[in-house]
């Protein structure tokens, strides 16, 4: 491998000749060999840095045209566009496990933008600190990148995935109107429910999770940029925060605002904790729905067997013909991961010492993993499982007719205690509720048939 010599304030460093990063990025590669090639800084953060560095150049040109010339702005913007498009991903090698402020990733972005911009300009036009990092600090750029990445992940991936699954469930509700089945509470037989009602419960849970995510978005759309090192805005021109938020809004097509209090924006991660709480709520509901689906599909002969789900792949290396609810299992594993991530996000957010939180990389790493996994798992679950659910109406009817809790319909006519006697006798003797009620003399056959209609109990 060929190398070139780069320098920073600490001296010279050898850097791979085919990479745009510089001395500070190389030092981080040398000093933090932790999770290399596996736990690198999320691409969503790199994408967000491309957005914010472009926005900062635009704002600096508007406020400081004598320093951020049109030529420099254009070179920065061209390089940032390549970062935004993912063309320079190989030039961002740093791991999550680095400085807790994300300084080295900020400098990685500064160096790549400067060196790529210089290559595009054909001359040494840009300096990573003086030009690309103008009016900024790692302490306000990294939390800004966190918020941009979080908003994009929620609005562009998680919420559309929820909408997709909800649309499928609405179709299933319509397809199964009038289909009555046994309800279940405590994993025991309960009074009847329409299958469409059961599905509506799943759908409404997801719709509520979407509402929670929407509530979490406005605080995330407030940006720390303009606070610089400790929130005072040192070395940033007046109005920079507003200009840069406007520029980020134009680039993303989403409405971002400057954080009203930069001291809060640098040290507190409460917005991410709140938003991840909504992701955890979504994970909890997905766990419940996936478990319901695999229980209802259990069998095919020795389980509940009330629904059929797509058979996607063989389920056993030894048992021929076995098919498993693998999509449900993937969803539940993702849910467990998200719940674990919530602990990490909360712990990281609690570590705001004085003017800066220094657990930011691990905080956003877990947040973005949760958003990414949930979005992808929900789409996969929808496409490969839920969209193909069909009700086994005969099995539902069979289970419904055998349910002892249909006896609840008799409460108004024979009382709770007598109805309990009917249920117990039917269970002990292995007979129907009708036979037990008649044997105990609580109702005549005609009266029983007149009042006992399970389909009307929903």
């Amino acid at each position: 491998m060929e190398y070139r010599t780069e320098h920073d304030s600490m001296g010279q460093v050898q850097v791979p000749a085919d990479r745009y990063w510089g001395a500070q990025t190389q030092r981080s590669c040398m000093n933090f060999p932790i999770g290399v090639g596996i736990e690198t800084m999320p691409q969503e953060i790199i994408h967000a840095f491309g957005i914010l560095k472009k926005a900062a150049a635009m704002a600096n040109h508007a406020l400081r045209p004598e320093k951020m010339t049109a030529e420099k702005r254009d070179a920065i913007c061209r390089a940032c566009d390549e970062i935004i498009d993912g063309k320079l991903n190989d030039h961002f090698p740093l791991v999550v496990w680095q400085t807790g402020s994300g300084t080295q990733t900020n400098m990685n972005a500064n160096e790549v933008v400067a060196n790529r911009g210089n290559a595009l300009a054909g001359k040494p036009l840009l300096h990573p600190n003086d030009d690309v990092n103008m009016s900024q600090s790692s302490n306000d750029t990294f939390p800004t990148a966190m918020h941009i990445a979080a908003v994009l992940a929620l609005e562009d991936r998680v919420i559309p995935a929820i909408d997709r699954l909800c649309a499928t469930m609405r179709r299933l509700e319509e397809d199964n109107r009038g289909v009555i089945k046994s309800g279940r509470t405590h994993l025991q037989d309960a009074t009847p429910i329409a299958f469409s009602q059961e599905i509506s419960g799943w759908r409404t849970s997801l719709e509520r999770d979407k509402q929670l995510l929407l509530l979490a978005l406005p605080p995330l759309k407030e940006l720390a940029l303009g606070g610089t090192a400790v929130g005072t805005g040192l070395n940033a021109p007046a109005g920079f925060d507003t200009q840069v938020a406007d520029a980020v809004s134009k680039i993303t097509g989403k409405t971002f605002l400057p954080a009203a209090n930069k001291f809060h924006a640098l040290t507190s991660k409460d917005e991410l904790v709140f938003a991840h709480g909504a992701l955890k709520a979504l994970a909890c509901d997905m766990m419940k729905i996936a478990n319901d689906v695999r229980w209802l599909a259990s069998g095919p002969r020795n389980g509940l067997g009330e629904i059929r789900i797509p058979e996607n792949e063989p389920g056993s290396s030894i048992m021929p013909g076995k098919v498993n609810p693998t999509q449900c299992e993937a969803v539940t594993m993702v849910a467990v991961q998200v719940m674990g991530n919530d602990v990490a996000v909360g712990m990281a957010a609690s570590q705001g010492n004085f003017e800066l939180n220094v657990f930011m990389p691990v905080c956003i790493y877990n947040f973005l993993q949760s958003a990414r996994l949930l979005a992808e798992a929900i789409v996969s679950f929808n496409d490969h499982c839920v969209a193909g659910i069909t009700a086994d109406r005969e099995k539902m009817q069979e289970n419904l007719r055998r349910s002892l809790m249909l006896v609840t319909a008799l409460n108004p006519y024979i009382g709770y205690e007598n109805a309990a006697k009917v249920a117990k006798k039917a269970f002990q003797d292995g007979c129907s509720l009708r036979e037990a009620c008649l044997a105990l003399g609580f109702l005549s056959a005609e009266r029983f048939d007149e009042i006992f209609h399970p389909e009307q109990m929903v």
Side-chain angles (χ1 to χ4, degrees), residues 35 43 62 73 81-82 92 98-99 120 180 194 201 231 239 242 247 283 288 296-297 305 340 366 406 438 452:
Q43 290 301 319
R73 177 203 62 194
D81 285 338
E82 292 187 3
F92 291 88
Q98 53 166 283
T99 174
L120 292 168
I180 311 300
T242 301
K288 191 270 183 194
L296 290 173
N366 284 277
L406 297 179
L438 268 59
F452 189 75

Side-chain angles (χ1 to χ4, degrees), residues 231-251:
T232 61
L234 180 67
N235 291 343
F240 178 75
D241 57 349
T242 301
Q243 286 272 356
V244 80
D246 289 345
V248 171
S249 300
K250 290 176 183 177
I251 295 167

Side-chain angles (χ1 to χ4, degrees), residues 92-115:
F92 291 88
L94 300 189
V95 294
V96 172
W97 318 109
Q98 53 166 283
T99 174
S101 62
T103 298
Q104 289 141 12
T105 288
N106 179 48
M107 283 309 304
N108 187 182
N110 290 334
E111 290 172 344
V112 170
V113 171
N115 285 328

Side-chain angles (χ1 to χ4, degrees), residues 191-233:
T191 55
I193 186 173
F195 187 35
S196 58
Q197 292 173 328
E198 190 167 43
I199 298 168
S200 76
W202 301 340
R203 172 182 53 77
T204 301
S205 294
L206 297 175
E207 291 173 342
R208 178 58 52 85
D209 295 327
K210 176 182 174 179
Q211 291 174 352
L212 297 176
L213 289 169
L214 291 173
L215 286 173
L217 281 167
L220 288 174
K221 291 182 177 179
E222 296 185 12
L223 303 181
L225 214 56
T228 64
V230 295
T232 61

Side-chain angles (χ1 to χ4, degrees), residues 56-379:
M58 295 165 63
N60 278 317
H61 176 68
L63 297 169
R64 289 177 166 176
E66 74 286 356
K67 290 191 173 184
M68 180 59 68
T69 64
E71 184 182 23
K72 288 184 176 182
R73 177 203 62 194
D74 292 346
I76 290 174
C77 288
R78 288 178 66 191
C80 287
D81 285 338
E82 292 187 3
I83 293 173
I84 293 169
D85 292 339
K87 296 178 180 178
L88 300 179
N89 287 347
D90 291 343
H91 300 269
F92 291 88
L94 300 189
V95 294
V96 172
W97 318 109
Q98 53 166 283
T99 174
S101 62
T103 298
Q104 289 141 12
T105 288
N106 179 48
M107 283 309 304
N108 187 182
N110 290 334
E111 290 172 344
V112 170
V113 171
N115 285 328
R116 179 55 181 160
N118 290 338
L120 292 168
K123 59 182 178 180
L125 177 68
L126 302 172
H127 186 279
N129 296 82
D130 295 336
D131 298 310
V132 185
N133 201 59
M134 185 186 297
S135 308
Q136 305 154 63
S137 163
S138 299
N139 296 353
D140 65 350
T141 59
F142 201 87
T144 295
M146 292 169 74
H147 277 212
I148 293 172
V151 168
L152 296 178
L154 296 182
E155 286 197 345
D156 295 348
R157 301 198 66 184
V158 178
I159 290 175
I162 294 173
D163 289 340
R164 185 167 173 168
L165 182 52
C166 286
T168 298
M169 288 182 175
R170 279 191 289 272
R171 174 183 61 78
L172 288 176
E173 288 175 60
E174 291 300 320
D175 292 347
N176 291 280
R177 293 217 179 271
V179 178
I180 311 300
K181 61 185 289 293
S182 179
R184 296 179 178 86
T185 58
H186 303 272
L187 292 181
Q188 304 295 308
D189 301 343
T191 55
I193 186 173
F195 187 35
S196 58
Q197 292 173 328
E198 190 167 43
I199 298 168
S200 76
W202 301 340
R203 172 182 53 77
T204 301
S205 294
L206 297 175
E207 291 173 342
R208 178 58 52 85
D209 295 327
K210 176 182 174 179
Q211 291 174 352
L212 297 176
L213 289 169
L214 291 173
L215 286 173
L217 281 167
L220 288 174
K221 291 182 177 179
E222 296 185 12
L223 303 181
L225 214 56
T228 64
V230 295
T232 61
L234 180 67
N235 291 343
F240 178 75
D241 57 349
T242 301
Q243 286 272 356
V244 80
D246 289 345
V248 171
S249 300
K250 290 176 183 177
I251 295 167
T252 61
K254 304 178 189 301
T255 303
F256 287 91
L257 300 169
N261 188 305
K262 304 299 192 298
F263 308 104
H264 161 82
L266 267 59
T267 193
S268 176
K269 301 295 141 229
D270 50 9
E271 301 91 349
L272 286 157
V273 173
F274 183 79
H276 198 277
L279 288 175
K280 181 175 71 171
L282 175 60
C284 291
D285 283 328
M286 287 302 300
M287 171 76 84
K288 191 270 183 194
I289 293 166
N291 278 334
D292 283 357
V293 168
R294 63 177 169 180
W295 272 108
L296 290 173
S298 60
R301 290 188 173 177
N302 295 329
L304 296 179
E306 292 188 345
I307 65 172
R308 298 185 184 276
I309 59 176
E311 298 182 349
N312 296 323
E313 65 274 315
S316 173
S317 62
I318 189 174
M319 293 176 280
K322 196 174 192 300
V323 180
N324 297 327
T326 51
Q327 289 293 319
C328 299
E329 292 164 6
V331 167
T332 54
M333 286 192 289
V334 164
V336 167
Q337 183 67 52
V338 173
M339 293 175 199
N341 286 350
D342 193 68
V343 176
V345 169
M347 289 294 293
S350 72
Q351 302 302 308
N353 306 124
F354 301 114
E355 278 64 60
L356 186 67
N357 178 286
V358 290
F359 285 69
M360 289 191 286
V362 70
C363 181
I364 195 62
Y365 176 75
N366 284 277
F367 184 99
L368 292 173
Q369 185 190 55
S370 293
R372 189 185 318 116
L373 288 177
L374 279 171
E376 293 175 358
I378 290 171
V379 169

